[in-house]
PDB file of all heavy atoms in Angstrom:
ATOM      1  N   ASN A  91     -65.718-149.340 -90.504  1.00 97.00           N
ATOM      2  CA  ASN A  91     -66.947-148.677 -90.205  1.00 97.00           C
ATOM      3  C   ASN A  91     -67.091-148.026 -88.830  1.00 97.00           C
ATOM      4  O   ASN A  91     -68.110-147.514 -88.452  1.00 97.00           O
ATOM      5  CB  ASN A  91     -68.165-149.722 -90.335  1.00 97.00           C
ATOM      6  CG  ASN A  91     -68.239-150.203 -91.767  1.00 97.00           C
ATOM      7  OD1 ASN A  91     -68.211-149.321 -92.746  1.00 97.00           O
ATOM      8  ND2 ASN A  91     -68.485-151.427 -91.851  1.00 97.00           N
ATOM      9  N   ASP A  92     -65.924-147.927 -88.018  1.00 98.00           N
ATOM     10  CA  ASP A  92     -65.857-147.153 -86.869  1.00 98.00           C
ATOM     11  C   ASP A  92     -66.024-145.685 -87.118  1.00 98.00           C
ATOM     12  O   ASP A  92     -65.261-145.136 -88.116  1.00 98.00           O
ATOM     13  CB  ASP A  92     -64.520-147.418 -86.184  1.00 98.00           C
ATOM     14  CG  ASP A  92     -64.514-148.825 -85.458  1.00 98.00           C
ATOM     15  OD1 ASP A  92     -65.451-149.404 -85.146  1.00 98.00           O
ATOM     16  OD2 ASP A  92     -63.348-149.155 -85.105  1.00 98.00           O
ATOM     17  N   SER A  93     -66.779-144.992 -86.275  1.00 98.00           N
ATOM     18  CA  SER A  93     -66.843-143.656 -86.439  1.00 98.00           C
ATOM     19  C   SER A  93     -65.646-142.950 -85.997  1.00 98.00           C
ATOM     20  O   SER A  93     -64.927-143.374 -84.965  1.00 98.00           O
ATOM     21  CB  SER A  93     -68.085-143.075 -85.562  1.00 98.00           C
ATOM     22  OG  SER A  93     -68.114-141.765 -85.457  1.00 98.00           O
ATOM     23  N   VAL A  94     -65.346-141.848 -86.436  1.00 97.00           N
ATOM     24  CA  VAL A  94     -64.179-141.000 -86.084  1.00 97.00           C
ATOM     25  C   VAL A  94     -64.340-140.507 -84.654  1.00 97.00           C
ATOM     26  O   VAL A  94     -63.461-140.440 -83.884  1.00 97.00           O
ATOM     27  CB  VAL A  94     -63.818-139.900 -87.018  1.00 97.00           C
ATOM     28  CG1 VAL A  94     -64.987-138.887 -86.886  1.00 97.00           C
ATOM     29  CG2 VAL A  94     -62.505-139.230 -86.708  1.00 97.00           C
ATOM     30  N   CYS A  95     -65.656-140.410 -84.240  1.00 97.00           N
ATOM     31  CA  CYS A  95     -65.940-139.984 -82.885  1.00 97.00           C
ATOM     32  C   CYS A  95     -65.517-140.971 -81.785  1.00 97.00           C
ATOM     33  O   CYS A  95     -65.487-140.649 -80.584  1.00 97.00           O
ATOM     34  CB  CYS A  95     -67.426-139.531 -82.803  1.00 97.00           C
ATOM     35  SG  CYS A  95     -67.903-138.096 -83.723  1.00 97.00           S
ATOM     36  N   LYS A  96     -65.355-142.232 -82.205  1.00 97.00           N
ATOM     37  CA  LYS A  96     -65.009-143.357 -81.339  1.00 97.00           C
ATOM     38  C   LYS A  96     -63.616-142.923 -80.774  1.00 97.00           C
ATOM     39  O   LYS A  96     -63.283-143.269 -79.680  1.00 97.00           O
ATOM     40  CB  LYS A  96     -65.027-144.614 -81.975  1.00 97.00           C
ATOM     41  CG  LYS A  96     -64.375-145.762 -81.225  1.00 97.00           C
ATOM     42  CD  LYS A  96     -64.510-147.114 -82.015  1.00 97.00           C
ATOM     43  CE  LYS A  96     -64.046-148.260 -81.184  1.00 97.00           C
ATOM     44  NZ  LYS A  96     -64.056-149.589 -81.909  1.00 97.00           N
ATOM     45  N   LEU A 101     -65.495-134.364 -80.715  1.00 93.00           N
ATOM     46  CA  LEU A 101     -65.936-133.859 -81.879  1.00 93.00           C
ATOM     47  C   LEU A 101     -67.418-133.651 -81.999  1.00 93.00           C
ATOM     48  O   LEU A 101     -68.140-134.458 -81.196  1.00 93.00           O
ATOM     49  CB  LEU A 101     -65.471-134.682 -83.124  1.00 93.00           C
ATOM     50  CG  LEU A 101     -64.007-134.669 -83.324  1.00 93.00           C
ATOM     51  CD1 LEU A 101     -63.553-135.788 -84.340  1.00 93.00           C
ATOM     52  CD2 LEU A 101     -63.595-133.267 -83.969  1.00 93.00           C
ATOM     53  N   PRO A 102     -68.016-132.749 -82.708  1.00 93.00           N
ATOM     54  CA  PRO A 102     -69.495-132.497 -82.732  1.00 93.00           C
ATOM     55  C   PRO A 102     -70.247-133.686 -83.195  1.00 93.00           C
ATOM     56  O   PRO A 102     -69.731-134.501 -83.991  1.00 93.00           O
ATOM     57  CB  PRO A 102     -69.530-131.265 -83.529  1.00 93.00           C
ATOM     58  CG  PRO A 102     -68.444-131.182 -84.378  1.00 93.00           C
ATOM     59  CD  PRO A 102     -67.253-131.869 -83.581  1.00 93.00           C
ATOM     60  N   PRO A 103     -71.568-133.748 -82.879  1.00 93.00           N
ATOM     61  CA  PRO A 103     -72.434-134.883 -83.356  1.00 93.00           C
ATOM     62  C   PRO A 103     -72.404-134.965 -84.875  1.00 93.00           C
ATOM     63  O   PRO A 103     -72.680-136.105 -85.339  1.00 93.00           O
ATOM     64  CB  PRO A 103     -73.834-134.387 -82.915  1.00 93.00           C
ATOM     65  CG  PRO A 103     -73.500-133.507 -81.688  1.00 93.00           C
ATOM     66  CD  PRO A 103     -72.266-132.734 -81.961  1.00 93.00           C
ATOM     67  N   SER A 104     -72.211-133.943 -85.632  1.00 91.00           N
ATOM     68  CA  SER A 104     -72.200-134.052 -87.124  1.00 91.00           C
ATOM     69  C   SER A 104     -71.130-135.004 -87.567  1.00 91.00           C
ATOM     70  O   SER A 104     -71.145-135.497 -88.691  1.00 91.00           O
ATOM     71  CB  SER A 104     -72.115-132.595 -87.754  1.00 91.00           C
ATOM     72  OG  SER A 104     -70.904-132.086 -87.286  1.00 91.00           O
ATOM     73  N   TRP A 105     -70.131-135.177 -86.787  1.00 96.00           N
ATOM     74  CA  TRP A 105     -68.980-136.053 -87.226  1.00 96.00           C
ATOM     75  C   TRP A 105     -69.258-137.514 -86.998  1.00 96.00           C
ATOM     76  O   TRP A 105     -68.421-138.350 -87.468  1.00 96.00           O
ATOM     77  CB  TRP A 105     -67.758-135.696 -86.451  1.00 96.00           C
ATOM     78  CG  TRP A 105     -67.013-134.387 -86.957  1.00 96.00           C
ATOM     79  CD1 TRP A 105     -67.640-133.150 -87.046  1.00 96.00           C
ATOM     80  CD2 TRP A 105     -65.765-134.287 -87.387  1.00 96.00           C
ATOM     81  NE1 TRP A 105     -66.738-132.298 -87.400  1.00 96.00           N
ATOM     82  CE2 TRP A 105     -65.538-132.920 -87.759  1.00 96.00           C
ATOM     83  CE3 TRP A 105     -64.704-135.146 -87.613  1.00 96.00           C
ATOM     84  CZ2 TRP A 105     -64.371-132.391 -88.275  1.00 96.00           C
ATOM     85  CZ3 TRP A 105     -63.358-134.674 -88.093  1.00 96.00           C
ATOM     86  CH2 TRP A 105     -63.305-133.257 -88.429  1.00 96.00           C
ATOM     87  N   GLU A 106     -70.294-137.754 -86.376  1.00 96.00           N
ATOM     88  CA  GLU A 106     -70.591-139.310 -85.958  1.00 96.00           C
ATOM     89  C   GLU A 106     -70.808-140.167 -87.181  1.00 96.00           C
ATOM     90  O   GLU A 106     -70.432-141.283 -87.289  1.00 96.00           O
ATOM     91  CB  GLU A 106     -71.999-139.239 -85.135  1.00 96.00           C
ATOM     92  CG  GLU A 106     -72.309-140.591 -84.548  1.00 96.00           C
ATOM     93  CD  GLU A 106     -71.177-141.219 -83.610  1.00 96.00           C
ATOM     94  OE1 GLU A 106     -70.750-140.327 -82.756  1.00 96.00           O
ATOM     95  OE2 GLU A 106     -70.873-142.295 -83.538  1.00 96.00           O
ATOM     96  N   LYS A 107     -71.294-139.507 -88.284  1.00 97.00           N
ATOM     97  CA  LYS A 107     -71.406-140.290 -89.521  1.00 97.00           C
ATOM     98  C   LYS A 107     -70.090-140.499 -90.278  1.00 97.00           C
ATOM     99  O   LYS A 107     -70.156-141.228 -91.225  1.00 97.00           O
ATOM    100  CB  LYS A 107     -72.436-139.547 -90.559  1.00 97.00           C
ATOM    101  CG  LYS A 107     -73.801-139.536 -89.972  1.00 97.00           C
ATOM    102  CD  LYS A 107     -74.738-138.720 -90.980  1.00 97.00           C
ATOM    103  CE  LYS A 107     -76.215-138.609 -90.485  1.00 97.00           C
ATOM    104  NZ  LYS A 107     -77.007-137.901 -91.403  1.00 97.00           N
ATOM    105  N   ILE A 108     -69.109-139.782 -89.964  1.00 98.00           N
ATOM    106  CA  ILE A 108     -67.772-140.022 -90.602  1.00 98.00           C
ATOM    107  C   ILE A 108     -67.127-141.277 -90.177  1.00 98.00           C
ATOM    108  O   ILE A 108     -66.782-141.419 -88.954  1.00 98.00           O
ATOM    109  CB  ILE A 108     -66.873-138.775 -90.293  1.00 98.00           C
ATOM    110  CG1 ILE A 108     -67.564-137.512 -90.858  1.00 98.00           C
ATOM    111  CG2 ILE A 108     -65.582-138.973 -91.047  1.00 98.00           C
ATOM    112  CD1 ILE A 108     -66.716-136.236 -90.557  1.00 98.00           C
ATOM    113  N   LYS A 109     -66.980-142.305 -91.069  1.00 98.00           N
ATOM    114  CA  LYS A 109     -66.243-143.490 -90.704  1.00 98.00           C
ATOM    115  C   LYS A 109     -64.869-143.440 -91.108  1.00 98.00           C
ATOM    116  O   LYS A 109     -64.364-142.612 -91.978  1.00 98.00           O
ATOM    117  CB  LYS A 109     -66.985-144.636 -91.378  1.00 98.00           C
ATOM    118  CG  LYS A 109     -68.528-144.650 -91.261  1.00 98.00           C
ATOM    119  CD  LYS A 109     -68.921-144.693 -89.927  1.00 98.00           C
ATOM    120  CE  LYS A 109     -70.465-144.799 -89.757  1.00 98.00           C
ATOM    121  NZ  LYS A 109     -70.931-144.731 -88.374  1.00 98.00           N
ATOM    122  N   LEU A 142     -69.190-129.313 -92.082  1.00 95.00           N
ATOM    123  CA  LEU A 142     -68.790-130.313 -93.060  1.00 95.00           C
ATOM    124  C   LEU A 142     -68.979-129.665 -94.463  1.00 95.00           C
ATOM    125  O   LEU A 142     -69.985-129.055 -94.643  1.00 95.00           O
ATOM    126  CB  LEU A 142     -69.416-131.603 -92.816  1.00 95.00           C
ATOM    127  CG  LEU A 142     -69.278-132.394 -91.575  1.00 95.00           C
ATOM    128  CD1 LEU A 142     -69.989-133.753 -91.487  1.00 95.00           C
ATOM    129  CD2 LEU A 142     -67.674-132.706 -91.329  1.00 95.00           C
ATOM    130  N   PRO A 146     -70.937-137.012 -95.247  1.00 97.00           N
ATOM    131  CA  PRO A 146     -69.836-138.112 -95.535  1.00 97.00           C
ATOM    132  C   PRO A 146     -70.338-139.116 -96.703  1.00 97.00           C
ATOM    133  O   PRO A 146     -71.502-139.610 -96.671  1.00 97.00           O
ATOM    134  CB  PRO A 146     -69.740-138.779 -94.208  1.00 97.00           C
ATOM    135  CG  PRO A 146     -70.174-137.744 -93.229  1.00 97.00           C
ATOM    136  CD  PRO A 146     -71.112-136.951 -93.985  1.00 97.00           C
TER     137      PRO A 146
END
Side-chain angles (χ1 to χ4, degrees):
N91 292 319
D92 283 341
S93 169
V94 68
C95 292
K96 176 179 178 179
L101 288 170
S104 60
W105 283 60
E106 188 66 40
K107 294 181 181 179
I108 300 175
K109 312 300 184 185
L142 298 179

